Amino acid sequence: MRIFTYLLKNASPKIEYYSRFSPSPLSIKQFLDFGRDNACEKTSFMFLRKELPVRLANTMREVNLLPDKLLSQPSVRLVQKWYMQSFVELLDYENRKPEDCEALNDFLELLIEIRNRHNDVVPTMAQGVIEYKEKFGFDPFISSNVQYFLDRFYTNRISFRMLINQHTLLFGDDTNPAHPKHFGSIDPACSVAEVVRDAYDTAKMLCEKFYLDAPELQIEEFDMKAPKKPIQAVYVPSHLFHMLFELFKNSMRATVELHENSEQGLPPIKAKVTLGKEDLSIKISDRGGGVPLRKIDRLFNYTYSTAPTPSLQPGSVPLAGFGYGLPISRLYARYFQGDLKLYSMEGVGTDAVIYLKALSSESFERLPVFNKSAWRHYTTTPEADDWSNPSTEPRDASKSNFKANR
């Protein structure tokens, strides 16, 4: 921690300087046009050597508004150290010339190193929140602030990795030979149904490993402009896969656990992909019993899960349990101006709908900005609710003394 303290002391003026700038959101079309038509490593270098520190500085300033007891947790301190180290390393390129080939190569290698360093940011920060909650608990005010922060923190991380991946895939050696038509991480003709099928197949393997069975999948497509053609989109397939994989995991678990002893077998999971003028929508429908309305919002809380918390074993992927799958998936959807919604009927099942922008020119990054509005969110005490607030748990009507007049 001495190194962290030293870095913090020396880098603080630079963090404050870069945090004064707002991030520059890009659209999928801008990412694509640059990669396809005029990819220039010097141009990318000059943009990223400022934009990456700006995005880091914005989130690093915001981290410091969290409660001191949360910041003191070992996992949170570790994440701060990673961010500080990456920020300081990027500062070395402030004044290096883009005409210097060695500087370009060093910068490329640094981005790969930073990306690898930040691989475990999501579970490590989540572990820090769990550490804090187990020691001190959460009051509603702190819980709201932590939820607000993590949404912004993880969104920032998604955007940070997006910029790094585009640069390293376009100008490095880690291009994917399986996808030669991709421009960076973007597929200009992404077959949505294929990604749906891939996500389902991966989740199915996991489900069969845990439950020895898995529901089948039925896919339907409808393009309002060309009803008989398969739907394609300009999008980041890895983002879409992440969202769908999480939804399929949840649907499979609910379906198997509800119907595992049914004589009729497991009802299928249905996927419907539609393309309209503004939205590309993907609905995943299951017959897994649904969720009560009062619990829907909890499903997007980072520390909420309906499954037992598994232990993190190297190389293993739990079917459920850590509680950040759905909220992170929603952030991926919202990152390019989409959304993820859940519609559930208790006793029947759940429809999960991913909304994406139909036009890549409208799919701009949705980025958090550290400013006075964000600062006020952490410092303003919430006012009393101006609606009646009954018990959060349902009453047992059979024990009530109240009898209705008929």
Side-chain angles (χ1 to χ4, degrees):
M1 283 304 157
R2 290 182 179 178
I3 297 177
F4 173 72
T5 305
Y6 173 80
L7 291 175
L8 180 62
K9 181 179 179 181
N10 287 272
S12 290
K14 285 291 187 180
I15 294 174
E16 185 176 351
Y17 169 75
Y18 277 101
S19 68
R20 295 173 188 168
F21 297 94
S22 293
S24 302
L26 301 174
S27 69
I28 291 182
K29 186 176 188 302
Q30 287 175 310
F31 278 117
L32 182 64
D33 289 346
F34 177 79
R36 179 173 54 191
D37 301 329
N38 54 358
C40 173
E41 188 171 2
K42 296 177 183 179
T43 303
S44 182
F45 167 77
M46 289 188 291
F47 173 71
L48 292 183
R49 71 177 178 181
K50 179 180 179 181
E51 184 64 18
L52 291 176
V54 166
R55 297 193 185 192
L56 282 177
N58 270 260
T59 200
M60 290 166 76
R61 288 289 303 276
E62 196 161 332
V63 168
N64 292 327
L65 296 179
L66 293 171
D68 290 339
K69 291 180 180 178
L70 177 55
L71 292 177
S72 67
Q73 299 309 306
S75 297
V76 178
R77 298 279 291 180
L78 180 58
V79 171
Q80 284 185 293
K81 180 183 175 183
W82 291 338
Y83 272 68
M84 180 61 69
Q85 185 176 349
S86 299
F87 180 80
V88 171
E89 289 173 349
L90 286 167
L91 293 182
D92 290 340
Y93 293 86
E94 276 184 311
N95 300 313
R96 295 187 68 173
K97 297 180 179 180
E99 293 78 18
D100 182 356
C101 293
E102 185 178 351
L104 296 180
N105 290 332
D106 291 346
F107 186 71
L108 178 65
E109 292 179 4
L110 174 63
L111 293 187
I112 295 172
E113 186 178 329
I114 289 175
R115 183 180 61 197
N116 294 338
R117 178 185 300 139
H118 290 233
N119 276 341
D120 293 328
V121 161
V122 173
T124 305
M125 179 60 80
Q127 181 62 38
V129 173
I130 292 172
E131 292 167 358
Y132 174 85
K133 186 177 181 181
E134 289 177 346
K135 291 180 182 178
F136 306 105
F138 272 164
D139 62 45
F141 179 55
I142 291 178
S143 180
S144 173
N145 281 348
V146 169
Q147 185 74 20
Y148 175 80
F149 166 76
L150 290 178
D151 272 345
R152 294 163 62 82
F153 178 77
Y154 289 147
T155 299
N156 183 285
R157 177 183 179 273
I158 292 170
S159 77
F160 193 72
R161 293 181 74 84
M162 180 71 191
L163 293 181
I164 289 178
N165 286 338
Q166 285 302 106
H167 187 89
T168 57
L169 287 169
L170 288 172
F171 307 114
D173 297 327
D174 57 347
T175 53
N176 190 342
H179 302 288
K181 295 183 179 180
H182 286 197
F183 295 95
S185 56
I186 297 172
D187 185 351
C190 176
S191 172
V192 179
E194 283 186 16
V195 181
V196 170
R197 173 63 69 177
D198 288 345
Y200 165 80
D201 287 340
T202 307
K204 181 183 179 183
M205 289 173 54
L206 198 57
C207 187
E208 289 176 338
K209 177 181 176 181
F210 280 83
Y211 295 105
L212 305 179
D213 199 1
E216 294 300 315
L217 174 67
Q218 297 176 357
I219 301 179
E220 181 183 358
E221 293 184 82
F222 178 75
D223 184 339
M224 65 177 295
K225 295 182 180 179
K228 295 183 180 181
K229 290 186 178 181
I231 294 174
Q232 293 184 333
V234 183
Y235 205 70
V236 184
S238 60
H239 289 190
L240 184 56
F241 179 92
H242 183 105
M243 293 181 263
L244 289 165
F245 176 61
E246 182 63 31
L247 296 180
F248 279 128
K249 281 197 304 177
N250 293 340
S251 290
M252 288 180 182
R253 173 175 166 249
T255 301
V256 173
E257 291 187 354
L258 182 65
H259 297 277
E260 58 184 345
N261 297 320
S262 173
E263 295 180 358
Q264 287 77 29
L266 301 178
I269 294 174
K270 298 180 180 181
K272 186 167 187 176
V273 182
T274 65
L275 179 61
K277 293 181 179 179
E278 295 187 21
D279 296 337
L280 190 163
S281 308
I282 308 166
K283 182 171 72 172
I284 307 298
S285 304
D286 66 57
R287 296 289 301 273
V291 180
L293 177 62
R294 66 185 177 85
K295 289 186 177 180
I296 288 292
D297 289 340
R298 295 186 199 176
L299 298 179
F300 291 101
N301 287 340
Y302 290 95
T303 56
Y304 179 79
S305 176
T306 59
T309 301
S311 59
L312 274 175
Q313 298 293 334
S316 68
V317 181
L319 188 65
F322 288 102
Y324 49 81
L326 274 176
I328 293 291
S329 295
R330 184 169 67 175
L331 295 184
Y332 272 107
R334 290 178 172 179
Y335 173 51
F336 281 121
Q337 304 297 326
D339 209 346
L340 191 161
K341 301 278 190 180
L342 295 182
Y343 306 96
S344 193
M345 295 181 67
E346 187 182 13
V348 181
T350 300
D351 290 348
V353 185
I354 298 171
Y355 297 99
L356 307 176
K357 288 292 184 182
L359 300 178
S360 61
S361 58
E362 296 181 357
S363 302
F364 276 89
E365 294 180 289
R366 179 175 177 263
L367 303 173
V369 180
F370 178 77
N371 54 24
K372 288 184 178 179
S373 296
W375 179 82
R376 279 195 294 267
H377 187 95
Y378 294 97
T379 57
T380 304
T381 304
E383 298 180 358
D385 195 355
D386 54 359
W387 292 87
S388 59
N389 187 18
S391 170
T392 55
E393 298 297 327
R395 295 179 180 178
D396 186 346
S398 65
K399 298 179 180 179
S400 175
N401 293 324
F402 174 79
K403 295 182 179 180
N405 295 322
R406 295 183 181 273

Short mmCIF file of all heavy atoms in Angstrom, two decimals, residues 6-16 84 87-88 91:
data_model
loop_
_atom_site.label_atom_id
_atom_site.label_comp_id
_atom_site.label_asym_id
_atom_site.label_seq_id
_atom_site.Cartn_x
_atom_site.Cartn_y
_atom_site.Cartn_z
N TYR A 6 2.06 6.47 -2.61
CA TYR A 6 3.01 7.29 -3.37
C TYR A 6 2.42 7.71 -4.71
O TYR A 6 2.50 8.87 -5.12
CB TYR A 6 4.30 6.50 -3.57
CG TYR A 6 5.30 7.18 -4.47
CD1 TYR A 6 6.12 8.21 -4.00
CD2 TYR A 6 5.43 6.80 -5.82
CE1 TYR A 6 7.03 8.84 -4.83
CE2 TYR A 6 6.33 7.42 -6.66
CZ TYR A 6 7.13 8.45 -6.16
OH TYR A 6 8.03 9.07 -6.99
N LEU A 7 1.83 6.74 -5.40
CA LEU A 7 1.23 7.04 -6.70
C LEU A 7 0.09 8.04 -6.57
O LEU A 7 -0.04 8.97 -7.38
CB LEU A 7 0.71 5.75 -7.35
CG LEU A 7 1.75 4.73 -7.83
CD1 LEU A 7 1.06 3.47 -8.33
CD2 LEU A 7 2.63 5.31 -8.92
N LEU A 8 -0.74 7.85 -5.54
CA LEU A 8 -1.87 8.75 -5.32
C LEU A 8 -1.40 10.18 -5.08
O LEU A 8 -1.96 11.13 -5.64
CB LEU A 8 -2.70 8.26 -4.14
CG LEU A 8 -3.94 9.08 -3.77
CD1 LEU A 8 -4.92 9.09 -4.93
CD2 LEU A 8 -4.62 8.51 -2.52
N LYS A 9 -0.38 10.32 -4.26
CA LYS A 9 0.13 11.65 -3.93
C LYS A 9 0.67 12.37 -5.15
O LYS A 9 0.42 13.56 -5.36
CB LYS A 9 1.23 11.53 -2.86
CG LYS A 9 1.81 12.87 -2.42
CD LYS A 9 2.87 12.66 -1.35
CE LYS A 9 3.48 14.00 -0.92
NZ LYS A 9 4.53 13.83 0.11
N ASN A 10 1.41 11.64 -5.99
CA ASN A 10 2.04 12.27 -7.15
C ASN A 10 1.10 12.44 -8.34
O ASN A 10 1.32 13.31 -9.18
CB ASN A 10 3.26 11.44 -7.57
CG ASN A 10 4.43 11.58 -6.62
OD1 ASN A 10 5.25 12.48 -6.75
ND2 ASN A 10 4.50 10.71 -5.63
N ALA A 11 0.07 11.59 -8.41
CA ALA A 11 -0.83 11.65 -9.55
C ALA A 11 -2.08 12.49 -9.30
O ALA A 11 -2.81 12.79 -10.24
CB ALA A 11 -1.24 10.24 -9.96
N SER A 12 -2.34 12.86 -8.06
CA SER A 12 -3.58 13.58 -7.71
C SER A 12 -3.81 14.83 -8.55
O SER A 12 -4.93 15.06 -9.02
CB SER A 12 -3.59 13.92 -6.22
OG SER A 12 -3.76 12.76 -5.45
N PRO A 13 -2.79 15.68 -8.77
CA PRO A 13 -3.04 16.86 -9.61
C PRO A 13 -3.47 16.50 -11.03
O PRO A 13 -4.34 17.15 -11.61
CB PRO A 13 -1.68 17.58 -9.61
CG PRO A 13 -1.00 17.12 -8.37
CD PRO A 13 -1.43 15.69 -8.20
N LYS A 14 -2.89 15.43 -11.58
CA LYS A 14 -3.26 15.01 -12.92
C LYS A 14 -4.67 14.41 -12.95
O LYS A 14 -5.42 14.62 -13.91
CB LYS A 14 -2.26 13.97 -13.43
CG LYS A 14 -0.92 14.56 -13.85
CD LYS A 14 -1.08 15.41 -15.12
CE LYS A 14 0.26 15.86 -15.64
NZ LYS A 14 0.13 16.68 -16.89
N ILE A 15 -5.03 13.68 -11.90
CA ILE A 15 -6.38 13.12 -11.83
C ILE A 15 -7.40 14.25 -11.80
O ILE A 15 -8.42 14.21 -12.51
CB ILE A 15 -6.53 12.23 -10.58
CG1 ILE A 15 -5.65 10.98 -10.70
CG2 ILE A 15 -7.99 11.81 -10.40
CD1 ILE A 15 -5.62 10.13 -9.45
N GLU A 16 -7.13 15.27 -10.99
CA GLU A 16 -8.04 16.41 -10.93
C GLU A 16 -8.11 17.13 -12.27
O GLU A 16 -9.19 17.54 -12.72
CB GLU A 16 -7.58 17.38 -9.84
CG GLU A 16 -8.54 18.54 -9.63
CD GLU A 16 -8.13 19.43 -8.48
OE1 GLU A 16 -7.20 19.06 -7.73
OE2 GLU A 16 -8.74 20.50 -8.33
N MET A 84 -5.12 3.26 -10.44
CA MET A 84 -4.06 4.25 -10.27
C MET A 84 -2.84 3.88 -11.12
O MET A 84 -2.26 4.74 -11.79
CB MET A 84 -3.67 4.34 -8.80
CG MET A 84 -2.57 5.35 -8.52
SD MET A 84 -3.04 7.04 -8.96
CE MET A 84 -4.29 7.32 -7.70
N PHE A 87 -3.56 4.55 -14.79
CA PHE A 87 -3.60 5.99 -15.06
C PHE A 87 -2.18 6.55 -15.15
O PHE A 87 -1.86 7.29 -16.09
CB PHE A 87 -4.38 6.70 -13.95
CG PHE A 87 -4.49 8.19 -14.13
CD1 PHE A 87 -5.43 8.73 -14.98
CD2 PHE A 87 -3.66 9.05 -13.44
CE1 PHE A 87 -5.53 10.10 -15.16
CE2 PHE A 87 -3.74 10.42 -13.60
CZ PHE A 87 -4.69 10.94 -14.47
N VAL A 88 -1.34 6.21 -14.20
CA VAL A 88 0.04 6.72 -14.18
C VAL A 88 0.80 6.24 -15.41
O VAL A 88 1.56 7.01 -16.03
CB VAL A 88 0.76 6.27 -12.88
CG1 VAL A 88 2.25 6.59 -12.95
CG2 VAL A 88 0.14 6.95 -11.67
N LEU A 91 -0.01 8.25 -18.47
CA LEU A 91 0.55 9.61 -18.46
C LEU A 91 1.91 9.67 -19.13
O LEU A 91 2.33 10.74 -19.60
CB LEU A 91 0.67 10.12 -17.02
CG LEU A 91 -0.63 10.36 -16.24
CD1 LEU A 91 -0.33 10.90 -14.86
CD2 LEU A 91 -1.56 11.31 -17.00
#
